[in-house]
Amino acid sequence: MTVRVLLADDHLLVRTGFRVILEMEDDIEVAGEAADGTTAVEMALRLRPDVVLMDVEMPGMDGLEATRRIAAGGGPSVLILTTFDRDDYLFAALRAGASGFLLKNGTPEALTEAIRVIAAGEALLAPAVTRRVIATFTAPGHSGVRLDQLTPREHEVLVRLAGGATNAEIAAALRLGETTVKTHVSRVLMKIGARDRTQAVVMAYELGVVVPGPPPV
């Protein structure tokens, strides 16, 4: 499977660098480039790439608003890339519907792997980063979400998700098959109204399902 990527960054040199990195990969293809948020939204909906590589600070519509509009329109997954290691950017990106967040000072290998992970629907932030942000910016309570809709097993799965566990790790911990875990994860996302695993983690902390601390064992 070839992963189609839309590059959204207001700096031509940055987009060119990303293009060079991505086009070296046999399974990744650059579908287009946008220099601002407005163009990124239009191209995301028109070209339907698998992943949008989104800068935060762009002229006119910024990357966070562009991400919000793409997510609201049922568009592709968004991977936020920024020069700034700021918790408010990270949290705002997750709130907007982003599926991942990376700094531009990372390695090419980290970038390409993140794109593949997000394209596969397995987007998840590092638990330590997630806990740091949630502890700083969230409080219990999420409008319209009822935890009593979750079965006891689904509740357990949500707790494991919030701890950063993969499907395989959840299966091992709960002594379930991976296919069963995938079904539980899908039902959890549907019931709490989460776009993907990343938003499920955020909502788990907001709802008070888990609190910042060591993940469950």
Side-chain angles (χ1 to χ4, degrees):
M1 174 181 130
T2 299
V3 179
R4 300 175 66 248
V5 179
L6 172 64
L7 305 177
D9 196 293
D10 58 326
H11 293 98
L12 175 59
L13 286 177
V14 173
R15 297 199 308 273
T16 301
F18 285 150
R19 178 180 282 275
V20 169
I21 291 171
L22 299 183
E23 289 186 341
M24 293 177 64
E25 304 296 319
D26 294 335
D27 60 338
I28 298 178
E29 166 189 318
V30 176
E33 298 183 22
D36 58 72
T38 301
T39 305
V41 173
E42 184 276 323
M43 293 184 72
L45 298 180
R46 176 168 55 86
L47 299 178
R48 291 288 173 178
D50 300 298
V51 176
V52 179
L53 216 55
M54 183 79 74
D55 186 25
V56 172
E57 295 192 345
M58 292 187 290
M61 184 190 299
D62 66 20
L64 298 177
E65 178 59 26
T67 297
R68 189 174 296 109
R69 296 193 185 192
I70 290 171
S77 299
V78 177
L79 173 60
I80 296 284
L81 279 102
T82 180
T83 307
F84 308 100
D85 185 8
R86 288 173 46 178
D87 283 350
D88 56 339
Y89 276 176
L90 173 53
F91 185 71
L94 295 177
R95 277 290 202 181
S99 295
F101 185 99
L102 287 179
L103 294 176
K104 289 181 180 177
N105 61 4
T107 65
E109 292 78 14
L111 174 61
T112 54
E113 181 59 24
I115 288 172
R116 294 186 181 101
V117 167
I118 288 175
E122 292 289 336
L124 190 64
L125 295 173
V129 174
T130 302
R131 285 196 296 270
R132 185 182 85 216
V133 175
I134 298 300
T136 304
F137 291 99
T138 67
H142 190 90
S143 176
V145 177
R146 293 178 52 195
L147 288 177
D148 59 8
Q149 295 178 341
L150 300 180
T151 67
R153 180 63 81 187
E154 289 166 354
H155 190 280
E156 287 181 301
V157 169
L158 179 56
V159 171
R160 300 282 168 175
L161 278 179
T166 64
N167 285 352
E169 290 168 342
I170 295 173
L174 301 182
R175 298 182 180 179
L176 300 171
E178 283 194 53
T179 301
T180 301
V181 170
K182 288 180 181 178
T183 300
H184 284 314
V185 169
S186 296
R187 289 176 177 168
V188 168
L189 297 183
M190 178 186 66
K191 288 182 178 181
I192 68 175
R195 172 184 169 92
D196 54 28
R197 295 169 72 102
T198 302
Q199 284 199 330
V201 171
V202 173
M203 293 174 70
Y205 283 91
E206 290 182 324
L207 292 163
V209 176
V210 287
V211 296
V217 296

